[in-house]
Amino acid sequence: MQKRVFRFLTASCLSFVSINVMALTCSDDVEQNKVEANNYIFKILDFIDSKAKGIKQEVRTSTITSDTGAIRSIAKHSLNYDSNGLITESHYDLYSDKNEKLYSEHLQKTEFGWQNVIQDIEDKTNSTIQFKTDEKGRIIASEQIKKAPDFTFIENDNYQFDNNNCLVNKNVQWQLKELNANGDVVGAVQKGASVYSFTYQNHQLAKVSAQYSNKTQNESNFSYQFDEINRLMAIHSAYAMVGKDTTNYITDFLTFNEKNDWLSASQSKQNRKNKQTNIVRQITYY
């Protein structure tokens, strides 16, 4: 049980910067910055880059293949947006190559903000994340409660913005309670904290630095390639933890519509034989 909790705890605390959530911008458009920061904070899986304007709905299908070409999993992701581009509802389902559901997320707007309900079938855990907004509509806090038969995990996050509504810091406090077969807490409650800092260059997210209460640190660096008409063609990222090898990721945008919004993309992981992800995007506009 200790081994399982430790594996979960390591993954949970180190996975904030998903390789799929990279193209956060910080421009002179204060309202757009708020929308992008909120969308980023939702941590929606396979949310690569929604630069298209006036999206009402979209469906993304992601197919993950191994280095041998065999299909490993397929994800279906449906999103709804308001007229400003803010996600109002998202439904994500991940299936194995045998069409067995492995994982799901359902984010929806509520009277008090947003709520994301997560079910991890493989890990036998269920989570709920509540997002709190301020008077400007920015997400300023969130609370996640993750439950399993043998533990309960609670995480409280607070977010800070600059005068342009750009996300600049995230502070995390977490605690883990191990449970016995009767649901009683056993042993000492484990606690920890982490701080994330966001740095921008040329209006794009350039670096995310993380520092944890156990003194470990990591850093993710991002770079972007544009074509001659300023379409984003590729995102490169490098993730490094102190004392560990650097992991490199590449996202390539492959096809575009007449408005130059991307319609398909691919991703690869470069620290070993490539694990390839192919994404197809279907968009409905207002």
Side-chain angles (χ1 to χ4, degrees), residues 9 14 24 40 45 89 92 104 132 141 146 162 165 170 188-189 192 207 216 218 223-224 227 229 231:
L9 193 58
L14 301 185
L24 180 63
Y40 186 96
L45 292 177
E89 186 175 19
Y92 178 95
S104 70
K132 178 183 177 182
K146 181 187 288 279
D162 65 12
N165 287 342
K170 175 189 178 184
V189 176
K207 180 187 298 185
T216 60
N218 67 46
S223 62
Y224 307 85
D227 66 9
I229 58 174
R231 293 186 305 191

Side-chain angles (χ1 to χ4, degrees), residues 111-248:
E111 181 181 354
F112 306 103
W114 283 270
Q115 174 179 273
N116 197 16
V117 178
I118 303 169
Q119 183 181 23
D120 192 323
I121 293 89
E122 279 192 309
D123 229 12
K124 297 180 180 179
T125 61
N126 293 279
S127 307
T128 300
I129 307 175
Q130 302 285 352
F131 298 95
K132 178 183 177 182
T133 58
D134 64 8
E135 67 282 354
K136 295 182 179 180
R138 302 177 303 188
I139 296 173
I140 56 171
S142 61
E143 180 184 55
Q144 176 180 5
I145 300 177
K146 181 187 288 279
K147 295 183 177 181
D150 49 4
F151 70 83
T152 297
F153 176 81
I154 300 173
E155 178 179 323
N156 289 281
D157 301 345
N158 290 283
Y159 308 90
Q160 284 81 46
F161 301 82
D162 65 12
N163 292 333
N164 262 1
N165 287 342
C166 300
L167 180 64
V168 291
N169 286 295
K170 175 189 178 184
N171 297 288
V172 176
Q173 300 282 336
W174 60 265
Q175 57 177 294
L176 179 71
K177 301 176 182 179
E178 296 186 41
L179 309 175
N180 61 21
N182 296 321
D184 301 318
V185 177
V186 294
V189 176
Q190 301 177 52
K191 297 182 179 180
S194 52
V195 178
Y196 298 86
S197 300
F198 300 81
T199 304
Y200 302 87
Q201 187 174 4
N202 298 325
H203 300 311
Q204 297 281 356
L205 180 63
K207 180 187 298 185
V208 180
S209 302
Q211 185 164 347
Y212 305 97
S213 52
N214 64 0
K215 306 303 180 184
T216 60
Q217 300 178 31
N218 67 46
E219 185 175 283
S220 293
N221 292 278
F222 306 99
S223 62
Y224 307 85
Q225 291 183 353
F226 299 86
D227 66 9
E228 65 278 0
I229 58 174
N230 205 36
R231 293 186 305 191
L232 180 60
M233 301 299 294
I235 303 173
H236 296 250
S237 66
Y239 172 87
M241 178 171 285
V242 174
K244 303 284 186 178
D245 293 334
T246 298
T247 303
N248 295 290

Side-chain angles (χ1 to χ4, degrees), residues 39 42 44 47 79-81 85-90 107 114:
N39 284 351
F42 288 145
I44 299 297
F47 176 67
L79 301 106
N80 294 327
Y81 299 86
L86 177 64
I87 294 171
T88 57
E89 186 175 19
S90 169
L107 172 81
W114 283 270

